[in-house]
Amino acid sequence: MGSMLGDWPSFDPMNFSQLRPSDPSSPSRMTPVTYCPTHDRCQPPPNQVIASESRNILLRNMYKRTEDKLRSKRPASEILITDQGLKHPRTSTAESPF
Amino acid sequence: MFKSNNVTARIFQRQICTPAPGTSIYSARRFYENIVPSCTIYDVECPDHSFRKFTEDGLYLISFSRNHQDLIIYRPRWPSFSCKEEDCDTHELPPKAKKFEGFFTELYSVSLATSGELICKDFFLYMENNQFGLFATSTAQIHDAPAVGGAVQGVPCVEKITFHLLRMEDGVVLDERVFWSDYVNLAHSMGVFLYDDLLAIVSLRYQRIHILQIRDSGNLVDVRTIGEFCREDDELFLYSSVQSMANPDKSKQLHQMTMNHAANGLHHDRPAGETSFLSGIKQRLLSFIYQGIWKEETDQTLRMQCLKKKFYFHFQNYVDLIIWKVQFLDRHHLLIKFGSVDGGVSRNADNHPAFFAVYNMETTEITAFYQNSTDELYLLFELFCDHFHVSGKNSLYMNFISTHSNNIHNLEQLKSNKNKASSLSQFVKKMLSSLPFSCQSQSPSPYFDQSLFRYDEKLISATDRHRQSTDHPIKFISRRQPNILKFKIKPGPEAGNTDTRSKKISSFLFHPFLPLALSVQQTLFLQPAVVNIHFRR
């Protein structure tokens, strides 16, 4: 499929030639075909597909903390400090919730 | 981005400069520093209605008649008049331009409430992409209603609550949903949350969360009901199992019950109180709490001690928790606030214990559980407040409301309040008491953007609540040019109030993107309200 912007005049003839509409039904949404590595120290894994996470960052955090708590034997307040690297006054674990 | 404060220079600069990636809306908003609603028409003669709010796309002004029976919709427009003089700017507006009708055109009036019912003036939700509006009418509240059919004792009862879905263009009622002998917290839309096309209605009385979908055709479709049952087929499975195990007489009774349920749909009174099971959501919650405490210790003796102290000792308290309020976090996750029965119906729930749970509707699992004083939840709230303020993907203006997660000034204010607080756990409780957020409760107007203007949040803010009215004008001061007053909003008559004894409350309705605002000042004694129009001349 020809690029929508591939034929327009631009400073560098190779500009925009890599862009392809990601969804044929909305051709104005362009995404680059590939991400190019900025260094050659190592190769990217083959057939790697980069997509955005469907779950938002708040839910990701909540799931991660719950998994950590259920997996490890450390109480929750310690996980909090290690994760964030911030100092927090500990809540008293002996305090009754009611 | 802009080097100059002059609007013409900014327009020229806009022609040649592109804003930094992802900041185009914020850059465009800087023009609101130049275009402000500085002109006020005091005590404009207008119909005696209760003006509620502008819709988020700015197309409609919602108002209700004083007798709470009719809905009247206006279209905001701009006054137009011509002046033949040479120097028009210095001239006063002609009397024709100073009328309410110059700014608003009545589109239609619909009678929503039948006899015995009243429209709930505090309730309104708007679905922007289809231009649908959701309104509620209800009959009078019955106090001390007996707790029958699975109802929670202590929660009031309303005989009939009706939700009306209207097409805002012409006022046609597309669908209705009625709740009989139920209680939904309609004040400030607290008991209902709209996210995209999904609606969550909390029945406090029967402890159910009804999830409905608003289709493009305007139909309200039931998706699921979370409460006694979590999955859609739980009820069927339960009754068919009981039916196959019981003797023939009993199985006939149960079969009849199942038929009744199938015939009457979701809102039939279930004999849920007669079963010995805890409700599905409660079971999920208790098992999540149990598992969390179980995993804390590896030593068996310590584990049992921990369970006894933290779980079994408080078991009945956990069982007695009721759902207070719900919001969506995304299409699959709900944030549910649990608390005691007393706190659920009282206005001030600060002293009552409260808990938050994140529930995944698809997997029917509880993902997280916090008490309302935990630092963990407060940290998430401080860092990711924007993700609690969910707005639909089609809503443009609602994504740019200033919160302490996206605005440095709000964050500084929050941190200063935190440092000034005498007790950290009280501060955390106070901040978390705003969760779950009520839907569409903040105005998207750029004049409330804390990066652009500084104003007294006790007198006016993006949250649409009535406030104590003062005679002094409320100042909006520029952030970037400190101490430069940009405009003032003064509710009430121009000369001030002659009657200083009676308490006055003000509410402010800001258009989402035009430099247009209404301030409504009323006393508590049903005197006609004083409405001012603030706009840019």
Side-chain angles (χ1 to χ4, degrees):
Chain A
M1 169 188 315
S3 162
M4 259 185 76
L5 299 177
D7 300 326
W8 288 17
S10 79
F11 185 72
D12 180 351
M14 289 311 295
N15 283 348
F16 308 123
S17 59
Q18 297 287 339
L19 289 177
R20 296 281 180 273
S22 56
D23 174 12
S25 61
S26 58
S28 57
R29 288 179 144 238
M30 296 293 201
T31 46
V33 172
T34 54
Y35 287 92
C36 301
T38 52
H39 62 85
D40 54 4
R41 288 194 292 274
C42 59
Q43 289 301 308
N47 305 320
Q48 180 179 241
V49 176
I50 299 172
S52 50
E53 169 92 34
S54 55
R55 212 175 264 169
N56 67 44
I57 192 171
L58 171 69
L59 285 167
R60 252 186 285 150
N61 255 283
M62 285 178 170
Y63 271 94
K64 185 169 178 293
R65 282 168 206 273
T66 306
E67 273 162 25
D68 286 345
K69 262 190 262 184
L70 290 180
R71 202 177 354 110
S72 83
K73 295 139 205 158
R74 296 175 298 168
S77 49
E78 274 190 25
I79 298 172
L80 181 72
I81 292 169
T82 327
D83 275 356
Q84 295 294 332
L86 301 166
K87 296 251 183 263
H88 277 269
R90 283 189 190 226
T91 51
S92 160
T93 48
E95 195 182 290
S96 154
F98 290 99
Chain B
M1 181 191 147
F2 295 121
K3 295 197 193 78
S4 160
N5 290 320
N6 177 281
V7 65
T8 320
R10 283 181 166 187
I11 292 174
F12 282 128
Q13 201 180 340
R14 185 175 66 172
Q15 288 180 316
I16 52 172
C17 294
T18 43
T23 64
S24 50
I25 299 255
Y26 287 111
S27 299
R29 274 192 161 195
R30 298 270 318 264
F31 279 96
Y32 283 97
E33 289 174 337
N34 301 96
I35 300 176
V36 293
S38 46
C39 182
T40 306
I41 303 175
Y42 290 95
D43 204 0
V44 68
E45 228 180 83
C46 62
D48 187 28
H49 300 316
S50 311
F51 298 106
R52 174 73 179 90
K53 72 191 284 194
F54 287 99
T55 54
E56 274 92 38
D57 50 13
L59 290 174
Y60 305 101
L61 172 68
I62 311 294
S63 61
F64 301 108
S65 61
R66 284 278 171 206
N67 63 0
H68 303 238
Q69 301 267 319
D70 301 322
L71 165 71
I72 305 108
I73 303 293
Y74 293 91
R75 168 69 39 94
R77 61 188 188 94
W78 213 255
S80 59
F81 55 92
S82 59
C83 178
K84 282 193 285 193
E85 313 289 320
E86 275 197 6
D87 191 9
C88 295
D89 279 347
T90 53
H91 282 233
E92 280 286 317
L93 284 175
K96 278 191 297 184
K98 284 193 187 180
K99 283 190 180 169
F100 183 80
E101 288 75 27
F103 289 88
F104 299 98
T105 318
E106 183 177 324
L107 289 180
Y108 54 82
S109 170
V110 175
S111 182
L112 280 182
T114 54
S115 64
E117 285 180 344
L118 294 175
I119 299 180
C120 178
K121 277 193 312 170
D122 280 338
F123 184 89
F124 169 64
L125 292 177
Y126 186 63
M127 201 178 154
E128 203 176 318
N129 48 342
N130 291 348
Q131 290 183 27
F132 291 157
L134 193 71
F135 299 90
T137 57
S138 67
T139 52
Q141 205 171 354
I142 308 163
H143 293 277
D144 301 327
V148 291
V152 175
Q153 184 70 40
V155 177
C157 176
V158 175
E159 197 193 324
K160 183 183 181 195
I161 299 175
T162 316
F163 291 99
H164 307 261
L165 187 71
L166 254 80
R167 190 169 49 215
M168 299 298 292
E169 281 174 293
D170 48 15
V172 168
V173 177
L174 296 167
D175 203 350
E176 283 180 1
R177 187 51 61 105
V178 183
F179 288 78
W180 294 100
S181 300
D182 206 334
Y183 187 75
V184 178
N185 202 343
L186 295 173
H188 300 284
S189 314
M190 284 207 291
V192 182
F193 200 92
L194 176 67
Y195 175 66
D196 263 353
D197 58 345
L198 290 178
L199 200 61
I201 301 177
V202 180
S203 155
L204 271 180
R205 192 159 156 79
Y206 295 105
Q207 286 295 292
R208 292 176 200 144
I209 305 167
H210 297 278
I211 308 289
L212 284 80
Q213 189 182 22
I214 305 177
R215 307 302 293 250
D216 287 339
S217 56
N219 292 325
L220 289 167
V221 174
D222 297 310
V223 174
R224 49 166 61 93
T225 304
I226 301 159
E228 294 106 292
F229 307 109
C230 294
R231 291 188 196 277
E232 287 96 359
D233 55 355
D234 278 350
E235 189 182 358
L236 186 65
F237 177 79
L238 197 69
Y239 279 117
S240 63
S241 308
V242 174
Q243 192 180 345
S244 61
M245 286 190 314
N247 57 49
D249 280 335
K250 234 183 177 178
S251 82
K252 216 176 171 183
Q253 256 182 30
L254 285 166
H255 182 71
Q256 190 55 42
M257 246 185 341
T258 323
M259 294 303 290
N260 283 342
H261 287 296
N264 295 334
L266 287 175
H267 307 298
H268 181 72
D269 267 353
R270 287 206 187 89
E274 293 163 18
T275 65
S276 56
F277 289 122
L278 290 171
S279 66
I281 184 97
K282 197 59 71 64
Q283 288 186 26
R284 293 281 196 277
L285 185 66
L286 290 170
S287 43
F288 182 82
I289 301 171
Y290 181 93
Q291 274 190 322
I293 300 172
W294 177 269
K295 292 282 162 94
E296 271 179 26
E297 302 288 344
T298 43
D299 179 71
Q300 192 63 11
T301 331
L302 282 174
R303 195 179 256 176
M304 285 316 299
Q305 276 182 8
C306 229
L307 276 172
K308 271 192 220 167
K309 196 171 65 166
K310 293 189 190 173
F311 185 70
Y312 290 110
F313 190 65
H314 299 295
F315 185 77
Q316 195 54 46
N317 298 52
Y318 282 128
V319 166
D320 292 339
L321 287 177
I322 61 162
I323 300 172
W324 276 1
K325 202 173 169 191
V326 156
Q327 72 159 96
F328 282 101
L329 291 177
D330 70 3
R331 284 187 83 85
H332 303 301
H333 293 86
L334 292 173
L335 177 69
I336 306 174
K337 189 170 189 177
F338 287 93
S340 62
V341 179
D342 304 322
V345 291
S346 77
R347 290 179 70 129
N348 183 8
D350 285 345
N351 295 328
H352 299 268
F355 300 87
F356 295 96
V358 177
Y359 175 74
N360 184 329
M361 293 194 289
E362 298 297 317
T363 61
T364 71
E365 283 173 6
I366 300 271
T367 308
F369 181 74
Y370 307 99
Q371 203 191 335
N372 67 336
S373 53
T374 41
D375 289 353
E376 203 179 324
L377 182 61
Y378 173 74
L379 186 70
L380 290 173
F381 176 70
E382 199 182 279
L383 292 172
F384 308 122
C385 184
D386 288 349
H387 293 279
F388 286 103
H389 274 295
V390 289
S391 55
K393 52 184 184 290
N394 293 313
S395 167
L396 177 64
Y397 305 110
M398 299 302 277
N399 289 322
F400 294 92
I401 295 175
S402 297
T403 65
H404 56 254
S405 299
N406 66 28
N407 192 293
I408 189 86
H409 304 284
N410 285 51
L411 185 63
E412 275 171 12
Q413 181 70 42
L414 179 76
K415 293 232 152 109
S416 114
N417 290 345
K418 189 173 170 184
N419 294 333
K420 276 192 258 178
S422 49
S423 149
L424 188 67
S425 77
Q426 282 299 107
F427 175 76
V428 163
K429 268 193 196 174
K430 184 170 161 234
M431 295 314 298
L432 294 180
S433 66
S434 57
L435 286 180
F437 286 124
S438 297
C439 186
Q440 297 177 10
S441 59
Q442 304 223 303
S443 167
S445 171
Y447 298 108
F448 291 120
D449 190 335
Q450 293 272 8
S451 325
L452 299 177
F453 300 102
R454 184 163 55 89
Y455 46 88
D456 187 344
E457 289 227 33
K458 291 190 203 64
L459 298 177
I460 195 170
S461 81
T463 316
D464 59 356
R465 290 240 166 198
H466 294 290
R467 283 153 214 283
Q468 191 102 25
S469 187
T470 63
D471 270 340
H472 304 288
I474 302 166
K475 296 183 188 168
F476 283 72
I477 300 167
S478 165
R479 281 272 181 200
R480 285 172 215 275
Q481 304 162 271
N483 305 322
I484 302 265
L485 172 70
K486 285 290 181 180
F487 66 100
K488 291 190 267 198
I489 299 280
K490 184 180 185 313
E494 186 171 6
N497 282 295
T498 46
D499 178 16
T500 49
R501 282 169 304 164
S502 58
K503 194 173 158 192
K504 291 174 194 54
I505 50 172
S506 295
S507 56
F508 303 95
L509 287 73
F510 274 72
H511 193 277
F513 52 84
L514 291 176
L516 174 69
L518 289 178
S519 62
V520 181
Q521 187 189 69
Q522 47 207 22
T523 61
L524 300 173
F525 298 110
L526 292 177
Q527 281 169 18
V530 175
V531 177
N532 297 349
I533 299 182
H534 311 271
F535 68 109
R536 183 194 186 255
R537 251 190 73 158

